[in-house]
Amino acid sequence: MKTLNIFKYSAIGILLLSVTSCGDSFLEVEPSSSVPINGYYTTKARMDEAVTASYDPMHWYDYFSGWCPMFLVSDSQGDDLYVGGGSTSDQAEIHLASQYKSTSLMNFSGAWTTSYSGINRSNLVIADAESSTLSDTEKAAYIAEGKTTRAFYYLMLWKYWGNIPYYDKNLAMPYIAPQKSEADVYKLVTDDLEKVIESKALPMKETATRAGHATQAFAEMLYADFVMYQKDESKYKQALGYMEDIINSHKYRLMDDFSSIWEQPNEWCDESIYEINYFAKGSTRDWGNANAPGGTVVPAMIGVDGLTYSASDAHKAQNPNYAAKADFVSGWGFCDVSKECYDAYEDNDQRRDGGILDMETYAVKYKAQTGDNVTYGGRYQNTGLFLRKYLGRPGGNANATASSDLGWDNNQRIYRYAETLLNASELALRTGDNSKAQNYFQQVRDRAFKGNAPAKQVSLDNLLNERRLEFVGEGKRYYDLIRFGKAAEVLKPGGGKVLNAQKTAYDKQGIPERIQWTESKKYLPIPQGEVDAAQGTIVQNPY
């Protein structure tokens, strides 16, 4: 691999750590003065600078050298989300992925660059810690943190492309690393994670001021993610043990109110195991400067298009200056939720309306409660159903100093305790402990129905469905369909149904360009620029 796009930071580009409360500011950065890099990382404060730099690329995935919100790219390849926007030429790369027609030229090169940038920076953390004069305990913690963030970046590459260049020490000229098979990458990364987990060098959960740093729970969730996607039966019991390590720590719990998980005050709530930090206040992220620190574009991108709150005639007659109260902020109309997904919920499941906004139902309730009106437009692939989890709330991008569209204060949730429980349930079922499997499964369902869940026996089919209902819009569904062996059965040509232009009926094919999913679609074509730069050392994926 030719690493032309990797940012090997020098002392000039070191990112300084600012520790305050609630986690987000751990990514607020500013350049340091120019000093020699040799011998620089000799103190804990300076090691923290390198650590901060290693996390920074995580917030580039949503928009960097091409749009690539991780959940939208993966879930639009499944049956939960449509890409939306104006047409199939609006963010064409994501539309092509949803149609299983990606090419090496129309691909997510920004996600490739982002991931290797993160790997490069994580490798520097490890190398700096190993050569530092810190105590053995401090060294071990930094090395474990660097290996965990590196595993996260490799997970992104591995799920998108499978057969990728791998290196655990940064490259010298000519900056080419050998391409490994997906099986080899899996073994290398999981072996690394096992050492991190068994070292117990990381805390199970971080303090509020350090939220965003890697933890034991994050490493264990990454390990389970790799093992379960690889369908490695030989490691199911070990992965189950790691899930139960999290459960038995009692550091995490399910939030009673599902909808509250997604509100800004509940970032890093008791259910959250890992989030990618974004912050609005002081955000300098801007068009042409997408890797600057700050907020996210996701709420603008997936926001309900043409969303308008208007005062009733009665309210206007009483007060000419009256303004209807807005619950959400309008956006660009990407990421419609499929009608089939919405209809899969049982009655009284709080996850449906806690995670999805049904505009028709919402407009009726809003009118009944306030007397005012709410309307919206409806763009390509409109279903009238929007991902409430990440919709912009009023004030959610306040105090961004650059682009407000790129300055939203909405953390990306990567792992939640609900997934720990469902992972544990599945792994217990697959290893023959049905009693444990039912217990963990039931805990998730009990929260969904506020303690009154209809009886349901745990099974692989029911687990697959439960994961769909729990994680819509969180980037899990497509990969679940593949590893459960259901992708070819579910992902048929055409997709589901969307609303017609009059919004009167679901009578149009959702993805008319979609072809049948086959096993060759599991890994995307590798970006052609990377293949060309690798001087013949990268073999293109058969897509």
Side-chain angles (χ1 to χ4, degrees):
M1 177 197 63
K2 189 87 167 178
T3 58
L4 298 178
N5 293 326
I6 289 178
F7 303 130
K8 180 175 180 180
Y9 68 90
S10 66
I12 296 174
I14 288 168
L15 304 177
L16 292 180
L17 180 65
S18 172
V19 179
T20 57
S21 62
C22 300
D24 287 347
S25 59
F26 125 84
L27 286 179
E28 293 181 30
V29 295
E30 60 185 56
S32 75
S33 59
S34 178
V35 296
I37 196 166
N38 289 335
Y40 184 83
Y41 297 100
T42 57
T43 66
K44 193 173 185 301
R46 287 178 173 177
M47 276 301 306
D48 283 341
E49 297 171 11
V51 168
T52 300
S54 72
Y55 286 96
D56 192 40
M58 289 185 185
H59 87 277
W60 304 350
Y61 282 108
D62 65 340
Y63 171 64
F64 175 76
S65 188
W67 304 79
C68 192
M70 293 179 290
F71 70 91
L72 177 54
V73 172
S74 59
D75 277 359
S76 68
Q77 293 179 87
D79 56 344
D80 281 357
L81 301 182
Y82 297 112
V83 182
S87 67
T88 56
S89 62
D90 195 353
Q91 308 314 318
E93 291 89 345
I94 311 179
H95 279 285
L96 287 172
S98 76
Q99 300 161 14
Y100 315 132
K101 294 180 180 178
S102 291
T103 73
S104 62
L105 295 176
M106 295 290 284
N107 206 294
F108 306 104
S109 60
W112 179 283
T113 299
T114 291
S115 299
Y116 279 111
S117 297
I119 289 164
N120 180 280
R121 295 175 182 211
S122 299
N123 285 342
L124 287 169
V125 169
I126 296 165
D128 292 337
E130 288 173 339
S131 63
S132 74
T133 58
L134 300 174
S135 71
D136 290 345
T137 300
E138 289 171 328
K139 282 185 182 182
Y142 282 118
I143 291 168
E145 191 166 5
K147 287 184 175 181
T148 303
T149 56
R150 184 173 68 192
F152 171 79
Y153 291 118
Y154 271 123
L155 180 68
M156 298 299 104
L157 290 162
W158 184 69
K159 280 191 169 179
Y160 275 118
W161 291 288
N163 310 292
I164 55 172
Y166 176 92
Y167 63 99
D168 56 14
K169 290 183 173 57
N170 284 344
L171 307 175
M173 285 290 291
Y175 304 114
I176 294 175
Q179 183 182 25
K180 301 286 188 180
S181 70
E182 50 83 22
D184 286 342
V185 174
Y186 165 77
K187 186 175 189 316
L188 286 162
V189 179
T190 52
D191 284 353
D192 222 21
L193 281 171
E194 285 177 7
K195 294 173 185 174
V196 169
I197 293 166
E198 296 307 317
S199 77
K200 299 191 181 299
L202 297 174
M204 179 58 72
K205 187 175 184 178
E206 269 294 3
T207 62
T209 56
R210 285 179 55 84
H213 285 267
T215 61
Q216 180 86 348
F218 182 34
E220 290 173 329
M221 291 298 292
L222 284 167
Y223 184 86
D225 208 339
F226 273 102
V227 167
M228 295 169 78
Y229 195 54
Q230 187 69 7
K231 297 187 282 189
D232 185 352
E233 295 180 8
S234 70
K235 293 189 174 181
Y236 282 171
K237 284 191 176 181
Q238 188 166 354
L240 173 59
Y242 292 157
M243 296 301 93
E244 293 185 323
D245 187 34
I246 298 171
I247 293 166
N248 295 332
S249 75
H250 304 294
K251 297 288 187 181
Y252 301 92
R253 69 174 182 90
L254 295 173
M255 297 285 283
D256 295 333
D257 180 4
F258 185 82
S259 66
S260 71
I261 297 169
W262 315 99
E263 301 299 332
Q264 196 277 334
N266 281 331
E267 290 176 349
W268 297 108
C269 65
D270 288 344
E271 185 163 338
S272 182
I273 289 178
Y274 198 73
E275 304 179 7
I276 295 176
N277 280 329
Y278 289 97
F279 59 91
K281 185 177 180 181
S283 172
T284 57
R285 208 167 183 214
D286 208 348
W287 305 110
N289 191 19
N291 61 339
T296 177
V297 71
V298 165
M301 190 174 185
I302 73 169
V304 183
D305 60 291
L307 182 64
T308 303
Y309 293 87
S310 57
S312 65
D313 291 341
H315 280 144
K316 286 188 287 187
Q318 292 173 356
N319 179 4
N321 297 319
Y322 176 87
K325 176 183 176 293
D327 295 318
F328 304 100
V329 177
S330 183
W332 308 337
F334 288 89
C335 194
D336 293 69
V337 179
S338 74
K339 182 70 160 53
E340 293 76 15
C341 176
Y342 188 82
D343 289 345
Y345 287 89
E346 299 167 84
D347 290 341
N348 301 318
D349 188 334
Q350 65 164 319
R351 295 172 299 189
R352 186 190 67 183
D353 297 326
I356 302 170
L357 182 68
D358 175 2
M359 281 302 300
E360 182 178 2
T361 301
Y362 172 64
V364 171
K365 287 184 177 179
Y366 184 85
K367 178 77 171 178
Q369 292 171 355
T370 68
D372 297 324
N373 305 300
V374 58
T375 57
Y376 80 105
R379 302 189 80 196
Y380 180 63
Q381 296 176 312
N382 176 45
T383 62
L385 304 166
F386 296 87
L387 187 60
R388 186 187 187 280
K389 294 176 179 179
Y390 292 120
L391 289 180
R393 275 62 162 178
N397 58 353
N399 301 313
T401 58
S403 169
S404 58
D405 284 334
L406 289 170
W408 285 91
D409 191 355
N410 293 68
N411 284 2
Q412 182 74 45
R413 278 64 167 181
I414 303 300
Y415 293 122
R416 294 189 285 113
Y417 183 62
E419 187 169 6
T420 307
L421 290 169
L422 290 177
N423 284 354
S425 178
E426 181 183 337
L427 291 163
L429 187 65
R430 290 185 185 274
T431 53
D433 194 332
N434 290 17
S435 177
K436 271 188 180 179
Q438 185 68 45
N439 175 34
Y440 297 139
F441 179 70
Q442 194 63 42
Q443 288 183 50
V444 176
R445 285 186 54 77
D446 281 346
R447 189 272 295 277
F449 292 90
K450 299 184 177 180
N452 297 304
K456 182 173 284 190
Q457 185 65 36
V458 68
S459 68
L460 290 179
D461 284 344
N462 286 340
L463 275 164
L464 176 61
N465 186 61
E466 204 67 31
R467 289 180 64 89
R468 181 187 199 184
L469 305 176
E470 184 71 33
F471 303 123
V472 60
E474 296 181 59
K476 314 290 182 181
R477 174 67 172 174
Y478 177 63
Y479 301 120
D480 285 347
L481 288 172
I482 292 172
R483 68 185 186 81
F484 275 81
K486 299 285 188 179
E489 173 187 333
V490 172
L491 304 177
K492 300 289 189 181
K497 298 290 186 180
V498 298
L499 284 167
N500 57 29
Q502 294 75 36
K503 305 178 193 172
T504 57
Y506 290 90
D507 58 4
K508 297 175 63 179
Q509 274 196 326
I511 316 175
E513 306 85 356
R514 173 175 277 184
I515 61 176
Q516 173 65 46
W517 187 92
T518 61
E519 196 67 27
S520 67
K521 305 301 181 183
K522 180 177 179 181
Y523 298 125
L524 294 170
I526 295 170
Q528 191 60 43
E530 302 296 337
V531 176
D532 294 342
Q535 302 177 14
T537 63
I538 288 182
V539 177
Q540 183 59 268
N541 285 333
Y543 186 80

